[in-house]
Amino acid sequence: MTLFNQLHSPALFRRSPFKNTHFCHGLLDGAAVTVDFKRSKATVLYVFAPTCQWCKKHAAAIGALAAGVGQRYPVLGLSLAKQGTPEFLASHSVTFPVYTEIPKEVVQAYRLGDTPHTLVISREGRVLASWSGAYIGSLQKTIEGYFGVKL
């Protein structure tokens, strides 16, 4: 079973307050949203926490990645904590959509927790690539090579 199927199976969300198509809540209005991986060949998910010092130092690099790949890959942010996220977004000029209140089942299925964390999700919901850490040193070169961008 792919991660997409796991995340969209009714059994997974029976214990969750969200319907099986809801991935997480929107930041501003609290409305449940659906993340549609099928809208492009792949989606970049950037996972962060507003209190994470590496995430704060890394904000310019993820902004550069989003600007460099935005035409080819939608970039979505997932904040692991709602508290402090509006201030984080305002102070770092984040230009891509960011969501909070991610169900625990989703966090576990995608093994989210280390921040910053970048994933590339296929149209079918499979994890194509996954990197934990800030884009420095060899990881920066790996990211640049994968996406064909300069950070």
Side-chain angles (χ1 to χ4, degrees), residues 118-129:
T118 307
L119 300 99
V120 180
I121 309 297
S122 74
R123 291 175 59 104
E124 296 78 30
R126 292 188 186 99
V127 176
L128 300 175

Side-chain angles (χ1 to χ4, degrees), residues 46-106:
Y46 176 67
V47 182
F48 69 95
T51 57
C52 167
Q53 292 305 311
W54 278 108
C55 297
K56 292 175 184 177
K57 294 175 184 177
H58 186 252
I62 189 61
L65 178 66
V69 303
Q71 296 298 318
R72 295 177 287 154
Y73 303 94
V75 177
L76 302 175
L78 303 178
S79 176
L80 296 180
K82 187 172 184 177
Q83 185 175 5
T85 298
E87 295 81 7
F88 180 93
L89 299 178
S91 66
H92 296 291
S93 303
V94 174
T95 59
F96 47 86
V98 173
Y99 301 97
T100 63
E101 299 183 20
I102 306 158
K104 289 180 185 178
E105 292 88 352
V106 173

